[in-house]
Amino acid sequence: MDWKREHYILMAHFAELNDSNTVVTVNVLNNEVINNLPFPDSEPIGIEFFTEWSGGYSNWRQTSYNGNFRKNYAIIGGIYDPIRDAFIAPQPFASWILNEDTCQWEAPVPYPTDGKGYYWDEATLNWIEVPAE
């Protein structure tokens, strides 16, 4: 097992949220601090730790690096939706629609599956092929 993979397995991740539930930071905590407990049993222990560490700020939520719970890994600038119990990335384009099952944004036109590279063009609401070099 490589170092990076081992590092993330041994750590729990906690998102600090502002008053609007926007992710401000994501911090890691050694699993020993949370008694090696699985989610959701680990979350109150981690919240207690980070509340003390931050001087009393208590708006923290545990996030899964692998997306095993709360749909997606928390990213700075994303939000935590308490109704869906999910972390949602910022909407990349105004036309993209939130998939309610995955809580991920999807283009209104599916990405082409021909193996070529594409980028999204919001003006035309379509995928534009990246020119070959």
Side-chain angles (χ1 to χ4, degrees):
M1 180 178 303
D2 66 56
W3 177 88
K4 185 175 181 183
R5 182 175 171 90
E6 184 177 310
H7 169 76
Y8 283 107
I9 290 173
L10 298 176
M11 300 298 227
H13 298 82
F14 285 80
E16 176 186 4
L17 310 173
N18 69 14
D19 292 339
S20 301
N21 284 333
T22 299
V23 178
V24 179
T25 62
V26 179
N27 294 282
V28 293
L29 186 61
N30 189 301
N31 275 353
E32 291 177 5
V33 175
I34 57 170
N35 302 319
N36 291 306
L37 293 170
F39 179 84
D41 298 331
S42 56
E43 186 170 55
I45 299 167
I47 290 172
E48 181 180 349
F49 174 88
F50 280 113
T51 299
E52 183 176 324
W53 173 79
S54 66
Y57 189 78
S58 61
N59 197 7
W60 299 87
R61 295 294 177 275
Q62 191 168 357
T63 184
S64 170
Y65 183 73
N66 299 313
N68 293 333
F69 52 85
R70 298 207 163 116
K71 307 278 186 182
N72 303 294
Y73 185 69
I75 62 168
I76 294 172
I79 63 159
Y80 170 68
D81 183 326
I83 305 297
R84 294 178 177 98
D85 191 28
F87 287 102
I88 302 171
Q91 186 177 15
F93 298 97
S95 66
W96 287 34
I97 303 157
L98 185 66
N99 178 315
E100 291 290 336
D101 293 329
T102 64
C103 288
Q104 294 183 359
W105 296 101
E106 296 179 352
V109 175
Y111 189 86
T113 58
D114 60 7
K116 298 177 183 176
Y118 292 86
Y119 66 91
W120 181 253
D121 180 45
E122 186 70 3
T124 63
L125 300 178
N126 214 340
W127 295 101
I128 305 296
E129 185 178 345
V130 176
E133 291 184 31

